Amino acid sequence: MTTRKDGTAAGLAGLAGLIGDETRAACLLALLDGRAWTASELARHAGVAASTLSEHLGKLLAGGLLAEERQGRHRYVRLADARVAQIVEDLAAQVAPDAGAGRPRTLREASAGSAMARGRTCYDHLAGRLGIAVTDALTARGLLRQDTGFALTDSGLAGIRLDREGRRPLARACLDWTERRPHLAGVAGAALCRHALDAGWCVRIGSERAVKVTTEGEHALSQWLGIKATALR
């Protein structure tokens, strides 16, 4: 018996094929820091030649997973939008943090892994123990509800300026791949992360997505959300 091929099935298979390459997956994970990277930066990160990386980027751009920006002679790529970031995040959360990696080979690798687990950006929101601590504190303060899915309460909506014009949800649960618990994503998660970085509560460290809470940030998060400094270190 023959069956007619479903266009959605073909599209899903194509998307899976785009992501299902280790070099392209490494690029997508790196771009979860929310910033634009040059092709040479991504080639070094993925450990491949520039010509090889260029072919992979072409496929990701054609598939709509990446967007390209040019500034003078420089070419930058970034994740196309929050929708793509969500796909990558959700898939990464299904893989054990140490799957196939084994123990860190150097002190630098161990330190980098520890920093990522402590606090990092997940495209445009906070993740790791920092993201979980903020999410739990928002819930405890009655600003966020988790009982029937993530939703801001009236007090939460009044506490921060949010862009409500787009189709992106105001609050969304994102499964944290190191903590195995959901942290806050969506418009509210992005706004909190942006404010934390702009106000100097958090600073980026290293060359990946890790962030560190500053002394000023410890004081602000303690005063605003009642988060103890020891939970942020």
Side-chain angles (χ1 to χ4, degrees), residues 33 35 37 108 112 115 203-212:
D33 68 357
R35 294 178 288 186
W37 289 46
R108 182 178 181 180
V203 293
R204 296 184 184 273
I205 57 175
S207 59
E208 295 193 46
R209 294 185 280 139
V211 296
K212 178 181 179 181

Side-chain angles (χ1 to χ4, degrees), residues 122 125-128 131-132 135 150 172-176 181-185:
C122 194
H125 55 271
L126 298 173
I132 295 296
T135 300
F150 274 35
R172 179 180 69 82
C174 177
L175 182 61
D176 198 291
R181 292 179 54 203
H183 57 245
L184 176 64

Side-chain angles (χ1 to χ4, degrees), residues 12-222:
L12 179 59
L15 175 63
L18 276 176
I19 299 175
D21 174 273
E22 189 170 351
T23 296
R24 292 195 289 273
C27 292
L28 292 170
L29 287 170
L31 291 167
L32 275 179
D33 68 357
R35 294 178 288 186
W37 289 46
T38 65
S40 58
E41 289 171 336
L42 284 172
R44 288 193 296 270
H45 176 81
V48 298
S51 57
T52 300
L53 195 281
S54 181
E55 293 180 11
H56 287 296
L57 291 185
K59 292 179 179 179
L60 291 171
L61 285 164
L65 297 183
L66 298 185
E68 184 180 46
E69 298 176 1
R70 289 188 178 273
Q71 191 171 36
R73 294 182 299 172
H74 298 288
R75 174 198 186 199
Y76 296 87
V77 293
R78 56 176 174 78
L79 295 182
D81 51 33
R83 172 190 58 85
V84 174
Q86 181 179 341
I87 293 171
V88 178
E89 291 168 3
D90 289 345
L91 288 174
Q94 305 307 312
V95 183
D98 58 350
R103 293 184 177 181
R105 293 170 295 180
T106 64
L107 178 60
R108 182 178 181 180
E109 284 187 3
S111 298
S114 177
M116 287 279 282
R118 182 175 60 244
R120 64 184 181 276
T121 55
C122 194
Y123 185 54
D124 60 0
H125 55 271
L126 298 173
R129 293 197 299 274
L130 170 59
I132 295 296
V134 170
T135 300
D136 286 348
L138 289 169
T139 304
R141 292 278 173 121
L143 305 174
L144 176 70
R145 294 185 59 183
Q146 299 190 44
D147 52 350
T148 56
F150 274 35
L152 296 176
T153 64
D154 290 340
S155 297
L157 288 169
I160 187 170
R161 181 179 298 177
L162 300 173
D163 178 8
R164 307 190 193 189
E165 295 183 359
R167 297 171 59 185
R168 190 179 185 188
L170 293 181
R172 179 180 69 82
C174 177
L175 182 61
D176 198 291
W177 60 265
T178 53
E179 296 300 302
R180 297 298 175 178
R181 292 179 54 203
H183 57 245
L184 176 64
V187 174
L192 284 170
C193 179
R194 184 169 57 251
H195 181 76
L197 291 169
D198 290 346
W201 295 0
C202 296
V203 293
R204 296 184 184 273
I205 57 175
S207 59
E208 295 193 46
R209 294 185 280 139
V211 296
K212 178 181 179 181
V213 179
T214 63
T215 300
E216 181 181 356
E218 289 182 353
H219 176 74
L221 290 173
S222 174

